[in-house]
């Protein structure tokens, strides 16, 4: 069996975030065990999808749920579901949407890379509002008789110039139009698994490989049962457009285990542990004369603290990031374009003891 090392690939400590290109998150032993157990038996995938969906719906206080191959695939399936419902003939016709309601409205200020996956369903994305602000009338005038849904990216980062989600839901529902919320990275808190749908959103999408710590190639859709059923019918093994994003029995059982773990774990204790790592890191850095402080919450409003270390210049920051990466063990710390002199340390993706290793290295690099 080849390892990363055999391939000449050097694993690193991830102090940045649950980032796809860095491997997402690390699966806890329960998730790995569930996948290994699932891998040893043949089952009917239709039945598995349906029963796991029902179980996750119950666990997350939703009417329905559907396991998918990543949140990006969730966007494709939700777009398909709002156009076809459970109508087999329409499902078989996608991505040809001739004669269907096929327009999905999205804020212009939320123009992210994530608008391509829903378009793969055949839906047309129609933007409303401006880059720097959105008025109620912008959304109102975008509705037509071909509107299939409004797609909303829920995060403080994406909502700055957008209408508030409750207002979008109320305006859409007055016209009988469903609302899809992409909340891929917005966990923890666990309550977000039902917060958006509780607010009235018809579908909400989460990544399985971020805060949930499920398989990296998994995702979760929760919401109205008629629509999550329609998502499932458009997916593998149903043979719809979502067939290209197959989720296997191992990922399905792995994601279920991840959701079960997430719903039963003591999030307060987990948060207290992260707060401890952050407090200790800040204290050690400040004691050495380095500018460091705790920031809260995460960039999408997630309930965890981070350490922000501010250096004298951008050049010094880049030099420090490079030295961390090049060292032994290799460390990838966080950085953001809007705060070019700071390094961020995120405990979400750290293991026990790693924060101390990072601080030791920072002290060695910066105390010179
Ligand atoms: C990460 C992310 C996705 C994609 O999630 P995957 O599970 O990697 O497919 C979609 N939307 C947003 C806002 C994200 O942050």
């Amino acid at each position: 069996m080849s390892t990363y090392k055999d391939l000449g690939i050097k694993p690193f400590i991830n102090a940045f975030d649950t980032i796809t290109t860095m491997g997402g998150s690390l699966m806890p032993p329960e998730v790995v065990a569930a996948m290994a157990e699932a891998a040893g038996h043949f089952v009917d995938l239709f039945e598995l999808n349906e029963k796991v969906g029902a179980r996750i719906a119950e666990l997350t206080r939703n009417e329905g749920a559907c396991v998918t191959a990543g949140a990006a695939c969730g966007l494709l399936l939700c777009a398909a579901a709002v156009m076809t419902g459970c109508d087999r003939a329409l499902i078989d016709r996608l991505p040809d949407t001739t004669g269907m309601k096929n327009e999905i409205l999205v804020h212009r200020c939320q123009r992210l890379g994530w608008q391509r996956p829903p378009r793969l369903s055949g839906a047309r994305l129609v933007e409303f509002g401006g880059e720097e602000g959105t008025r109620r009338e912008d959304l109102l005038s975008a509705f037509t008789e071909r509107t299939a849904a409004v797609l909303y990216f829920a995060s403080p980062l994406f909502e700055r110039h957008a209408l508030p989600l409750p207002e979008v839901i109320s305006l859409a529902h007055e016209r009988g139009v469903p609302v899809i919320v992409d909340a891929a990275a917005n966990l923890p808190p666990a309550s977000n698994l039902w917060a958006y749908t509780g607010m009235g959103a018809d579908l909400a999408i989460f990544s399985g490989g971020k805060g949930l710590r499920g398989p990296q190639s998994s995702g979760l859709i929760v919401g109205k049962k008629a629509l999550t059923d329609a998502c499932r019918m458009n997916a593998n093994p149903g043979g719809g457009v979502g067939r290209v994003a197959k989720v296997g029995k191992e990922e399905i059982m792995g994601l279920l285990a991840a959701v079960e773990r997430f719903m039963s774990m003591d999030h307060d204790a987990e948060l207290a542990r992260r707060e401890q790592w952050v407090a200790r890191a800040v204290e050690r850095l400040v004691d050495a004369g380095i500018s460091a402080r705790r920031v809260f919450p995460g960039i999408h409003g997630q309930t965890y603290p981070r350490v922000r270390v501010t250096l004298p210049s951008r050049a010094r920051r880049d030099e420090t990031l490079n030295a961390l990466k090049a060292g032994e063990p290799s460390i990838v710390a966080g950085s953001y374009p809007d705060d070019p002199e700071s390094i961020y340390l995120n405990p979400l993706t750290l293991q026990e003891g790693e924060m101390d290793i990072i601080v030791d290295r920072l002290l060695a690099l910066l105390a010179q």
Side-chain angles (χ1 to χ4, degrees), residues 69-356:
C73 176
L75 285 162
L76 159 64
L77 292 180
C78 288
V82 294
M83 294 190 293
T84 65
C86 294
D87 184 326
R88 190 77 246 174
L90 295 182
I91 288 167
D92 289 342
R93 197 128 60 73
L94 294 186
D96 176 1
T97 61
T98 313
M100 297 184 205
K101 288 186 177 185
N102 65 353
E103 293 176 354
I104 296 185
L105 308 184
V106 61
H107 281 82
R108 179 162 289 114
C109 64
Q110 297 191 333
R111 186 184 288 167
L112 309 161
W114 303 118
Q115 300 191 6
R116 186 176 281 185
R119 284 166 51 212
L120 293 175
S121 67
R124 206 162 73 78
L125 264 71
V126 178
E127 292 185 338
F128 63 92
E131 305 273 358
E132 309 251 293
T134 315
R135 298 161 311 155
R136 189 185 164 87
E137 304 79 65
D138 296 330
L139 173 56
L140 290 178
S141 58
F143 286 111
T144 71
E145 76 277 3
R146 298 175 69 79
T147 305
V150 182
L151 170 60
Y152 192 91
F153 293 89
S155 155
L157 195 62
F158 308 139
E159 287 178 30
R160 235 172 306 181
H161 305 297
L163 297 173
L165 179 57
E167 187 175 353
V168 170
I169 292 171
S170 123
L171 294 175
H173 284 185
E174 277 169 27
R175 285 153 189 82
V177 170
V179 175
I180 304 166
V181 172
D182 180 350
N186 305 7
L187 299 171
S191 56
N192 274 354
L193 288 166
W194 55 89
Y196 304 108
T197 42
M199 225 181 264
D202 299 81
L203 290 164
I205 305 167
F206 298 91
S207 184
K210 294 182 180 171
L212 275 173
R213 297 181 62 186
Q216 198 190 355
S217 57
S218 69
L220 178 62
I221 302 166
V222 296
K224 300 266 161 62
K225 183 154 191 314
L227 284 170
T228 57
D229 282 349
C231 286
R232 197 162 48 241
M233 288 181 70
N234 274 285
N236 179 70
V241 278
R243 175 64 182 84
V244 293
K246 177 158 74 178
V247 53
K249 58 193 183 303
E250 298 83 4
E251 286 83 23
I252 295 172
M253 291 306 283
L255 185 67
L256 172 59
V259 172
E260 284 172 339
R261 171 184 173 275
F262 202 70
M263 292 311 303
S264 64
M265 70 187 261
D266 184 343
H267 286 277
D268 290 339
E270 182 82 12
L271 179 58
R273 189 161 44 244
R274 290 189 181 125
E275 289 284 13
Q276 235 173 34
W277 296 352
V278 164
R280 184 173 149 76
V282 168
E283 190 185 315
R284 292 182 65 203
L285 291 163
V286 168
D287 280 352
I290 296 161
S291 164
R293 65 180 181 87
R294 167 189 178 272
V295 291
F296 187 95
I299 58 168
H300 299 298
Q302 304 105 318
T303 44
Y304 54 72
R306 288 173 297 160
V307 183
R308 176 177 182 245
V309 184
T310 303
L311 300 173
S313 67
R314 181 186 192 138
R316 193 86 167 104
R317 182 204 63 175
D318 291 345
E319 192 182 296
T320 308
L321 285 172
N322 290 338
L324 287 172
K325 181 91 194 283
E328 189 59 48
S330 176
I331 297 164
V332 177
S335 61
Y336 299 94
D338 64 356
D339 186 6
E341 286 158 17
S342 297
I343 287 175
Y344 287 79
L345 307 176
N346 185 348
L348 179 73
T349 41
L350 293 182
Q351 319 247 62
E352 193 72 47
E354 289 183 337
M355 188 66 100
D356 282 332

Side-chain angles (χ1 to χ4, degrees), residues 4 9-12 14 16-26 114 207 209-210 216-217 325 332-333 349:
Y4 290 140
I9 291 165
K10 193 171 162 188
F12 49 83
N14 172 9
F16 199 158
D17 210 335
T18 53
I19 295 174
T20 293
T21 53
M22 292 171 53
S25 56
L26 298 184
W114 303 118
S207 184
K210 294 182 180 171
Q216 198 190 355
S217 57
K325 181 91 194 283
V332 177
T349 41

